[in-house]
Amino acid sequence: MPVVTSFPPLYKLSYSTLISNTPSESCDVEDVATFTYKRTHDVGYICKGKKLLFDGSHFLKTLHYLRFNAFLMGSLDTNNAALKRWYQRALQMLPENLHINPIFDRINQILRENNTKFLDDPNPIKTILEYNQSYYFLPTFYALCKHLNISSLMMVNHLRGVLHKDLSPLLDRMEQVGEEHTQVIMKDFTQQTIIFCGNNLCERYTRYRDKLRQIVHDSKRATLSISTATQLTELLRNLQESHFPIQVLRLPNSLRKANAFIWNCLTESWQEIQVDKEKDSHMSNLWNAICTYLEDYRKSGNYGGPEPEVTQKFSINTVISTITSDTTMERKTIQMDRHKWFIRTVDGLLDILTGHVGGTVPELFLSDRKLGVEFSRLELMHLYNHSKELEDLYNLLTDKSFFLQYLKALLTNRTDDVFDTLNEMIQEQFPGLIENSHALSMLHFMVHLGKYTAFEHDLLMYLCDVLASIFIATNYERKFFVMKGETSNGKSKLFKILARVFGGYYHCIQSDNLKPGSSSTNATPDLASTLFNCRIVTTEELEGKLNENRVKQITGNSCMTFRNTYESSQGGIPTAK
């Protein structure tokens, strides 16, 4: 009988384990186990290789594969008792499908396949929509409508019984948005949008390294079940597209080479890649993070995962070619910051139609421009919860009869200050509303506008309409506004207020851009970098005549081109006012 010693053996012998979609000639057919995938109905094979290895833990790769991929399998056919036991144990760990709403079953299954955090979640879609006070609600909502091919009204009805009652006001506002608007908004959203939102249910990281660590941790199941270089290439490509996609964008009416942009996961905006080495750098960082995780995993006493030779012989250039090649990358026309109903704030994306502030996704094509005013999502939700009272206040301030009473009170010197006079009159109508900071801001702004328009009601109302339309990235009215008046009557002050409110969406250009004699072939960086991205563009005081042809082009909603210094032309329909 063998002698049992207190010292462990130096080597443990085992046969190689092969997992693939095709039966291999280097394995024993008698030991083959077959399984099918739920979604694709493809057949997979698990078999024992003929090569004897000096590694007693090699068979544990099959345990990890079944543990992390059992929910992908529709069936497993094998005579091996260990495989059957591991498979049944893995199935018992899966969450029971509660069928909260059968319409979401398929997309929930896809989310579980792409992220380990949803493996035990009975309804990942509900988790994403409710995350952080509905931070990713808007892009997920529109992407679901596009993916399931249903109207926004039907989607609202499906979500009524699924989401928490706190989201009922948001669903009510979504119900009021016209279907023609939602069709325009959702055209760029896909299933990948939902996966992206699901992969980013975490705090905003300030360091790229922390973000990579989170990506690798969430992809633990997929990483540990890799057995071939092909699977590793596919994994890296999926991670790159889900977290920081690279898009090749072609500028309209431009002779420039198509630009490559990478989604910056820290700033949540597109960042232009100047050299191809940057693509390699981003992929290499992700690859190093995965290798570090696998090494730590092995050192901790766990085994399995990718074979060492797969990681050692892997080439980053293979993944780069699959990401940036014309066959896998959709070339889109650049549309940075040109969405009519979306404008970016410091705290997130503001939907003008619903007033909701949420997260951004690559499909929105946003740059790092932001509004200059800061308000949290909680403040905006609080504002919309009191919108009825503020709406009544707005109706009173814009009512002509009330405005005439206010003007009479000013002429009779009711108080020594124009703001105090308005404040007292509002307190008589709304005793409790005056404590609201938003209401006080409305009163101050109305007083400023009254001064700038010499308290002419019709002119004040027209100016309010113009200012309100600035938030929407269009110029439907096709107008070029010229403000004139006596010295120190508030023109520059108004522009300073607009510059502070609109921040990166505001720009002041030099008057030389609108003077006669300038050729269309000359470089006009002010116009090229602002007319297609900003919401409002102003100019310095003009002297002499205007270039009427250029002004007509800018305000005529016609396609035109401009050129930055030392660059080819770029253009489109100007969206700034």
Side-chain angles (χ1 to χ4, degrees):
M1 62 187 293
V3 178
V4 180
T5 66
S6 59
F7 302 99
L10 295 178
Y11 298 101
K12 293 181 180 180
L13 299 178
S14 68
Y15 287 96
S16 61
T17 302
L18 303 177
I19 303 174
S20 63
N21 294 330
T22 56
S24 176
E25 296 179 356
S26 61
C27 65
D28 294 330
V29 180
E30 297 178 356
D31 297 325
V32 170
T34 59
F35 59 90
T36 58
Y37 292 98
K38 288 182 180 179
R39 258 200 309 156
T40 61
H41 302 291
D42 295 334
V43 179
Y45 299 88
I46 304 176
C47 54
K48 184 181 71 173
K50 298 180 179 180
K51 183 179 179 182
L52 190 62
L53 303 176
F54 291 93
D55 182 7
S57 62
H58 196 272
F59 74 97
L60 288 179
K61 181 174 67 174
T62 309
L63 170 62
H64 285 286
Y65 193 88
L66 290 175
R67 175 185 174 190
F68 293 113
N69 292 281
F71 72 99
L72 295 176
M73 300 178 182
S75 62
L76 177 69
D77 184 16
T78 180
N79 294 324
N80 189 299
L83 290 181
K84 289 182 179 180
R85 183 171 64 254
W86 292 343
Y87 177 65
Q88 293 298 329
R89 185 178 301 173
L91 290 180
Q92 293 175 0
M93 298 172 60
L94 298 178
E96 295 183 5
N97 195 343
L98 303 181
H99 291 290
I100 298 178
N101 195 322
I103 195 174
F104 301 126
D105 285 349
R106 180 176 174 82
I107 189 65
N108 281 337
Q109 176 72 7
I110 295 174
L111 287 170
R112 295 190 189 102
E113 295 176 15
N114 282 273
N115 199 309
T116 185
K117 69 162 62 81
F118 294 126
L119 195 58
D120 300 325
D121 194 332
N123 197 354
I125 281 294
K126 181 176 184 293
T127 302
I128 298 174
L129 290 172
E130 294 181 345
Y131 167 73
N132 193 15
Q133 298 173 344
S134 59
Y135 185 74
Y136 282 116
F137 178 90
L138 282 178
T140 305
F141 179 90
Y142 289 124
L144 279 173
C145 294
K146 177 72 176 297
H147 176 66
L148 300 176
N149 194 23
I150 61 176
S151 66
S152 58
L153 184 60
M154 292 181 61
M155 179 57 65
V156 170
N157 293 332
H158 282 295
L159 295 176
R160 287 286 187 189
V162 176
L163 301 183
H164 194 272
K165 61 181 181 181
D166 291 343
L167 291 180
S168 296
L170 180 56
L171 292 176
D172 294 339
R173 292 199 292 272
M174 295 300 300
E175 204 170 26
Q176 298 172 2
V177 178
E179 193 63 35
E180 66 278 5
H181 295 316
T182 59
Q183 290 297 327
V184 173
I185 295 172
M186 71 175 64
K187 64 180 181 180
D188 289 328
F189 292 141
T190 62
Q191 172 186 306
Q192 188 64 32
T193 308
I194 307 174
I195 297 175
F196 175 89
C197 295
N199 285 333
N200 286 273
L201 298 190
C202 57
E203 63 184 46
R204 293 188 188 180
Y205 293 101
T206 58
R207 296 186 303 176
Y208 200 73
R209 182 177 60 185
D210 295 333
K211 180 63 176 179
L212 286 176
R213 185 183 293 113
Q214 178 259 327
I215 292 173
V216 175
H217 179 268
D218 289 344
S219 307
K220 175 177 64 175
R221 171 181 48 81
T223 302
L224 293 179
S225 61
I226 289 174
S227 58
T228 63
T230 303
Q231 293 175 348
L232 195 59
T233 302
E234 187 68 19
L235 170 68
L236 280 179
R237 189 174 67 85
N238 290 336
L239 290 180
Q240 192 274 338
E241 291 179 350
S242 298
H243 293 277
F244 29 81
I246 294 176
Q247 292 281 0
V248 179
L249 304 176
R250 184 177 56 202
L251 298 174
N253 305 316
S254 174
L255 301 178
R256 293 181 61 187
K257 180 183 177 182
N259 294 42
F261 285 80
I262 187 171
W263 179 260
N264 191 320
C265 54
L266 302 183
T267 62
E268 294 190 349
S269 61
W270 286 103
Q271 175 182 338
E272 187 173 1
I273 295 178
Q274 301 296 336
V275 293
D276 290 338
K277 290 183 178 179
E278 294 186 34
K279 302 176 187 176
D280 298 340
S281 175
H282 286 295
M283 291 305 300
S284 297
N285 288 337
L286 178 59
W287 172 245
N288 292 333
I290 291 179
C291 289
T292 302
Y293 169 77
L294 291 175
E295 187 64 25
D296 294 341
Y297 186 77
R298 292 191 181 99
K299 289 181 179 179
S300 64
N302 296 303
Y303 299 94
E307 299 177 1
E309 58 269 18
V310 175
T311 58
Q312 292 172 2
K313 297 179 181 179
F314 186 78
S315 174
I316 294 295
N317 294 329
T318 304
V319 184
I320 291 292
S321 63
T322 62
I323 294 172
T324 57
S325 64
D326 293 337
T327 57
T328 60
M329 183 55 56
E330 179 184 1
R331 292 182 176 269
K332 295 185 177 180
T333 301
I334 187 168
Q335 294 284 334
M336 294 288 184
D337 302 307
R338 293 171 62 85
H339 294 276
K340 298 177 184 178
W341 316 116
F342 293 144
I343 192 167
R344 189 168 183 175
T345 70
V346 176
D347 202 56
L349 186 71
L350 171 62
D351 181 6
I352 300 175
L353 294 176
T354 64
H356 178 71
V357 176
T360 57
V361 295
E363 289 80 359
L364 295 171
F365 288 95
L366 292 170
S367 69
D368 56 356
R369 298 179 189 267
K370 298 181 180 68
L371 286 178
V373 291
E374 296 186 16
F375 50 84
S376 66
R377 299 175 64 245
L378 291 176
E379 290 177 342
L380 194 64
M381 292 176 63
H382 180 74
L383 170 63
Y384 270 82
N385 289 336
H386 296 79
S387 59
K388 184 63 174 67
E389 297 177 350
L390 295 177
E391 184 178 348
D392 293 339
L393 175 60
Y394 171 79
N395 293 331
L396 181 64
L397 291 174
T398 55
D399 183 71
K400 190 169 185 178
S401 61
F402 175 82
F403 187 81
L404 293 177
Q405 296 176 18
Y406 172 52
L407 189 59
K408 180 179 179 181
L410 293 178
L411 296 176
T412 56
N413 294 326
R414 178 170 177 172
T415 68
D416 295 333
D417 184 78
V418 290
F419 174 78
D420 292 340
T421 300
L422 181 62
N423 194 9
E424 285 189 3
M425 296 180 65
I426 294 299
Q427 285 186 11
E428 296 174 358
Q429 300 287 337
F430 302 98
L433 187 61
I434 206 62
E435 298 178 359
N436 190 315
S437 59
H438 299 291
L440 289 175
S441 179
M442 290 174 62
L443 299 186
H444 281 290
F445 188 65
M446 183 59 68
V447 168
H448 279 291
L449 291 183
K451 293 178 181 178
Y452 302 155
T453 57
F455 292 96
E456 294 185 18
H457 184 265
D458 293 338
L459 182 60
L460 189 149
M461 290 296 98
Y462 179 72
L463 183 58
C464 283
D465 290 339
V466 173
L467 296 179
S469 68
I470 294 176
F471 280 93
I472 304 176
T474 57
N475 192 11
Y476 289 142
E477 294 295 328
R478 301 186 180 184
K479 292 182 179 179
F480 180 83
F481 300 97
V482 179
M483 302 185 67
K484 65 177 183 177
E486 300 296 333
T487 305
S488 301
N489 71 333
K491 297 187 299 295
S492 299
K493 186 69 173 179
L494 177 60
F495 290 147
K496 288 181 180 179
I497 293 176
L498 294 178
R500 183 174 180 182
V501 171
F502 283 90
Y505 290 101
Y506 171 90
H507 194 77
C508 181
I509 64 175
Q510 296 181 355
S511 58
D512 293 343
N513 292 281
L514 302 180
K515 286 186 176 180
S518 58
S519 173
S520 59
T521 60
N522 294 341
T524 51
D526 274 353
L527 298 177
S529 60
T530 59
L531 286 182
F532 308 112
N533 308 101
C534 292
R535 292 294 196 267
I536 175 173
V537 176
T538 62
T539 183
E540 301 169 353
E541 294 188 5
L542 293 169
E543 182 180 357
K545 294 184 178 180
L546 281 172
N547 187 338
E548 295 182 6
N549 185 43
R550 171 160 288 181
V551 172
K552 183 178 179 180
Q553 286 181 322
I554 292 175
T555 60
N557 277 337
S558 57
C559 189
M560 57 187 310
T561 60
F562 297 102
R563 183 170 66 86
N564 279 314
T565 307
Y566 307 117
E567 292 183 1
S568 302
S569 299
Q570 59 173 297
I573 299 177
T575 56
K577 292 182 174 59

